[in-house]
């Protein structure tokens, strides 16, 4: 082949790839312009799932006010799969999902909600069910034919596979299937997906799985589970990679699964501040009134869903007390004081000594110049920054403020 022909071919391939990228971007546009909100079966139910659970969860999402609060995806995690048929088409487990996935999608859509599904880039999933390796285009077509809205794509059983290539293949398969489906990467942060996944998926997991505790770690054998604070600490340096349509995913929530109320409030606040997807992980059918109230806190959710899509930065670390700031649309800020300790901690915050600077986004708030009003998103107390902020934080709790300014010139 002569050099000119080779150059033409290379150019053609590059243009083709660019066009596909644009095409995907257009298709996927708007699907996660703010972090996705929904529910997933794994944290609470693992493989004990069936179509009744999914229908009842959709019912509860509406009845408990979660849909009104912004939660919309009902996501089936691992273990829904049965076998592939003679043509290689994946079938749901006939005992657990006898009506089939299309009927389930119709039911969920009938509630004004969306249905998500799970697969894995390897030949088998983490739960040992058929994965999508070698069936990517076929599976994406199947999901589209079932009217699925969301695909979570896991990373078990992928020895020597390249993550970027494997996830790009599935992205292209979803684009080709012709139905907009949110693409959620679950690769646990191993190949630094934040560096390459902005053009591949709508979100990428940044860590191993969450473990249901505030400040602990669980490492049985090869797998690791991380508590809330451990996951938070692993977000250091990642904020510049997050933004509308592409989010750092801190994993599904454990709110309502046994931590204390203060811990649950702190957990949700942290995820909101960090602009992580908010995917509930508890049993929505039987949650307590206090869990329901935590999960439907509109002010905290609004911080997560703010349209600027900027992840919080840590602006202060003083022993167990940390302060995180998130610039919001319209010149507002969210400020979270976090007590990491299992002892109470006192806040004596002199606003006059604090300037908030988000150098990545060229935003700042100078409390020497400007008085901001604040409202506490949990207790609903209000005040302004002309006076020192004095508060006692219970162990593992947060104070989360919405700052609106200027109150006075
Ligand atoms: C992995 C994922 C989890 C869950 C399980 C299912 O561990 O990280 O979120 O999907 O697999 O087997």
């Amino acid at each position: 082949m002569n050099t000119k022909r080779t150059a033409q071919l290379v150019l053609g391939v590059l243009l083709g790839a660019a066009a596909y990228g644009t095409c995907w971007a257009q298709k996927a546009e708007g699907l996660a312009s703010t972090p996705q909100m929904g529910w997933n079966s794994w944290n609470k139910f693992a493989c004990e799932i069936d179509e009744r659970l999914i229908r009842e969860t959709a019912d509860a999402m509406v009845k408990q006010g979660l849909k009104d609060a912004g939660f919309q995806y009902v996501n089936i995690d691992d273990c829904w799969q049965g076998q592939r048929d003679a043509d290689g088409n994946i079938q749901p487990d006939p005992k657990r999902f006898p009506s089939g996935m299309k009927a389930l999608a119709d039911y969920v859509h009938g509630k004004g909600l969306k249905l998500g599904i799970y697969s894995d880039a390897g030949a088998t999933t983490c739960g040992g069910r058929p994965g999508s390796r070698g069936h990517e285009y076929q599976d994406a077509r199947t999901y589209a034919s079932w009217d699925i809205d969301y695909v979570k794509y896991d990373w078990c059983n992928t020895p020597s596979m390249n993550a970027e290539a494997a996830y790009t293949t599935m992205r292209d398969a979803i684009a080709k299937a012709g139905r907009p489906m949110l693409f959620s990467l679950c690769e646990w942060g191993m190949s630094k997906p934040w560096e390459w996944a902005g053009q591949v998926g709508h979100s990428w997991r940044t860590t191993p799985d969450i473990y249901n505790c505030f400040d602990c770690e669980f490492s049985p054998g090869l797998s690791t589970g991380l508590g809330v604070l451990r996951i938070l600490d692993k977000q250091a340096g990642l904020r510049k990679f997050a933004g509308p349509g592409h989010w750092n995913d801190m994993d599904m929530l454990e709110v309502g699964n046994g931590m204390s109320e203060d811990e649950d409030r702190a957990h949700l606040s942290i995820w909101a501040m960090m602009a992580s997807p908010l995917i509930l992980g508890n049993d929505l059918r039987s949650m307590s009134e206090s869990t329901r109230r935590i999960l439907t806190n509109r002010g905290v959710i609004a911080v997560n869903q703010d349209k600027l899509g900027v992840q919080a930065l840590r602006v202060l670390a003083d022993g167990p007390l940390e302060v995180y700031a998130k610039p919001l649309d319209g010149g507002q800020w969210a400020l979270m004081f976090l007590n990491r300790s299992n002892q109470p901690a006192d806040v004596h915050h002199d606003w006059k000594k604090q300037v908030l600077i988000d150098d990545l986004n060229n935003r700042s708030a100078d409390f020497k110049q400007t008085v901001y009003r604040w409202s506490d998103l949990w207790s609903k107390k209000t005040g302004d920054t002309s006076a020192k902020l004095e508060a006692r934080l219970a162990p593992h709790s947060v104070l989360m403020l919405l700052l609106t300014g200027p109150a006075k010139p």
Side-chain angles (χ1 to χ4, degrees):
M1 197 183 295
N2 67 31
T3 342
K4 196 170 158 209
R5 177 89 186 96
T6 314
Q8 275 172 347
L9 214 91
V10 169
L11 188 68
V13 170
L14 287 177
L15 287 175
Y20 214 161
T22 315
C23 171
W24 183 80
Q26 278 163 358
K27 276 217 170 71
E29 204 182 323
L31 274 189
S33 55
T34 59
Q36 63 265 33
M37 293 174 63
W39 173 89
N40 174 293
S41 51
W42 183 255
N43 282 1
K44 180 72 185 177
F45 299 98
C47 283
E48 289 308 311
I49 56 172
D50 57 24
E51 61 183 39
R52 182 168 166 200
L53 168 70
I54 303 303
R55 280 199 303 264
E56 289 178 357
T57 298
D59 295 346
M61 208 180 244
V62 175
K63 228 186 281 154
Q64 303 289 348
L66 290 158
K67 180 187 168 207
D68 285 345
F71 294 92
Q72 60 168 338
Y73 290 100
V74 179
N75 293 345
I76 311 169
D77 207 273
D78 205 352
C79 302
W80 63 268
Q81 306 90 337
Q83 296 305 315
R84 294 189 180 277
D85 70 12
D87 297 323
N89 296 310
I90 188 70
Q91 306 291 313
D93 180 331
K95 286 213 187 70
R96 292 179 178 262
F97 294 87
S99 316
M101 289 300 174
K102 173 71 172 87
L104 201 49
D106 288 347
Y107 185 87
V108 170
H109 291 154
K111 299 263 153 191
L113 299 169
K114 296 183 170 181
L115 187 65
I117 215 158
Y118 160 103
S119 192
D120 188 289
T124 47
T125 69
C126 302
R129 307 300 169 107
S132 289
R133 187 169 185 183
H135 293 272
E136 292 88 350
Y137 281 77
Q138 188 177 24
D139 285 355
R141 260 199 321 273
T142 302
Y143 303 156
S145 76
W146 291 340
D147 286 348
I148 297 292
D149 306 293
Y150 186 121
V151 178
K152 170 177 168 181
Y153 206 50
D154 213 342
W155 192 238
C156 274
N157 307 309
T158 53
S160 75
M161 280 171 68
N162 175 286
E164 183 173 356
Y167 281 96
T168 302
T169 301
M170 196 54 171
R171 173 201 75 180
D172 292 346
I174 289 172
K176 194 81 195 294
R179 178 180 172 82
M181 291 185 261
L182 192 151
F183 191 31
S184 153
L185 278 53
C186 178
E187 175 272 1
W188 318 310
M190 301 220 305
S191 73
K192 302 190 177 164
W194 42 87
E195 288 180 351
W196 52 261
Q199 286 302 309
V200 178
H202 296 97
S203 62
W204 49 85
R205 283 273 301 278
T206 55
T207 66
D209 288 3
I210 193 166
Y211 188 63
N212 185 20
C213 69
F214 198 74
D215 185 13
C216 73
E217 197 165 319
F218 178 66
S219 308
L222 289 177
S223 61
T224 307
L226 299 178
V228 166
L229 290 182
R230 311 290 164 106
I231 290 185
L232 172 61
D233 293 345
K234 289 209 177 288
Q235 310 310 307
L238 300 191
R239 66 184 297 265
K240 65 170 182 256
F241 300 104
H246 48 98
W247 307 104
N248 289 314
D249 177 357
M250 296 167 71
D251 203 1
M252 287 119 30
L253 295 159
E254 293 283 11
V255 174
N257 283 342
M259 281 186 271
S260 74
E261 282 186 29
D262 278 333
E263 290 173 334
D264 273 353
R265 273 190 285 269
H267 177 18
L268 185 69
S269 304
I270 294 168
W271 264 233
M273 293 292 290
M274 302 304 278
S276 172
L278 296 182
I279 305 294
L280 309 170
N282 58 319
D283 188 342
L284 304 188
R285 304 166 306 174
S286 58
M287 64 187 160
S288 68
E289 178 54 19
S290 110
T291 297
R292 197 192 68 77
R293 261 192 273 121
I294 291 172
L295 290 176
T296 53
N297 183 313
R298 300 285 179 110
V300 172
I301 289 171
V303 168
N304 176 262
Q305 293 292 299
D306 180 76
K307 70 173 188 216
L308 277 189
V310 175
Q311 185 170 317
L313 66 154
R314 197 174 72 178
V315 291
L316 218 82
D318 180 11
L321 199 64
E322 290 181 347
V323 183
Y324 290 79
K326 184 180 195 292
L328 305 174
D329 191 40
Q332 297 185 321
W333 290 75
L335 213 61
M336 180 182 75
F337 295 77
L338 165 67
N339 177 11
R340 301 173 62 106
S341 152
N342 53 15
Q343 300 297 316
D346 290 320
V347 173
H348 309 285
H349 191 68
D350 187 350
W351 296 100
K352 298 274 159 31
K353 290 192 184 145
Q354 166 123 58
V355 184
L356 299 178
I357 300 175
D358 174 8
D359 48 359
L360 276 181
N361 301 285
N362 203 17
R363 281 163 201 274
S364 61
D366 183 346
F367 302 109
K368 264 190 281 208
Q369 310 286 333
T370 313
V371 177
Y372 280 68
R373 287 184 303 275
W374 57 255
S375 64
D376 180 330
L377 294 175
W378 289 110
S379 77
K380 313 289 184 226
K381 276 191 211 139
T382 57
D384 70 40
T385 59
S386 62
K388 257 190 175 181
L389 179 73
E390 304 278 355
R392 165 155 283 212
L393 293 194
H396 293 175
S397 77
V398 293
L399 179 66
M400 189 162 163
L401 306 181
L402 176 68
L403 296 173
T404 317
K408 294 179 209 146

